[in-house]
Amino acid sequence: IQCEIPKEYRRFLRQHNGGTGFVGDIHYLELWPVDQIPKHYSGYQFSEFLPSFIPIGSNGAGEAFAIDTSAEPPVFGFVPFGDLRRASFIPLSADFAESIELIALGRAFESR
C-alpha cells in the first residue's frame, strides 16, 4: 500500500500502534496495528473494490474505519465490509481526533 497517511494518525501509530475498546460510553472501535493493515487491505478486498481506501480498523458491527486517500486532504470514515463502494462511505473528518470524537459522541452515522 503506497499512500501518504495523515500526520496525526501517524503520530498515533508511533505512540500506540493500534488499540481496542470503547470510545465514549457505548461505541466500540478497534484500530489495527500497522503490520495488520496490509492483511486487512487485501483480505477484505479493498485492493480490488476501493484501492484508494486504507482500512485501519473496525467498529465491530460490520463497518471498516478507513481513510479515503483520494480525497484532499484524506478523510476518515466508515464503509461497510459487505458493500465496498465509494457511495457507501460515510465520511467523518479529515482530522483523526475529530473523527474519534464524532464516534464517541455517537454522531458517526447521523447523516445516514
Side-chain angles (χ1 to χ4, degrees):
I1 307 170
Q2 293 286 135
C3 70
E4 185 67 28
I5 61 172
K7 290 178 189 174
E8 189 179 6
Y9 177 62
R10 281 198 315 260
R11 264 195 304 277
F12 169 82
L13 285 175
R14 280 195 297 274
Q15 292 177 340
H16 304 286
N17 195 26
T20 301
F22 287 91
V23 180
D25 293 333
I26 60 170
H27 303 284
Y28 178 82
L29 186 63
E30 177 181 5
L31 295 172
W32 300 319
V34 71
D35 65 330
Q36 289 184 15
I37 293 172
K39 175 183 79 168
H40 293 303
Y41 179 76
S42 59
Y44 286 113
Q45 298 182 314
F46 277 81
S47 55
E48 182 178 340
F49 295 104
L50 286 173
S52 67
F53 284 66
I54 306 300
I56 61 171
S58 171
N59 67 357
E63 285 90 20
F65 187 51
I67 306 169
D68 176 1
T69 65
S70 69
E72 186 53 48
V75 174
F76 294 89
F78 285 105
V79 65
F81 285 113
D83 189 12
L84 295 179
R85 294 178 303 125
R86 178 172 293 283
S88 298
F89 181 64
I90 300 167
L92 296 178
S93 175
D95 183 270
F96 178 66
E98 183 179 355
S99 296
I100 299 300
E101 184 176 333
L102 289 170
I103 295 166
L105 294 172
R107 295 178 48 206
F109 296 98
E110 273 185 349
S111 63
R112 298 280 169 141

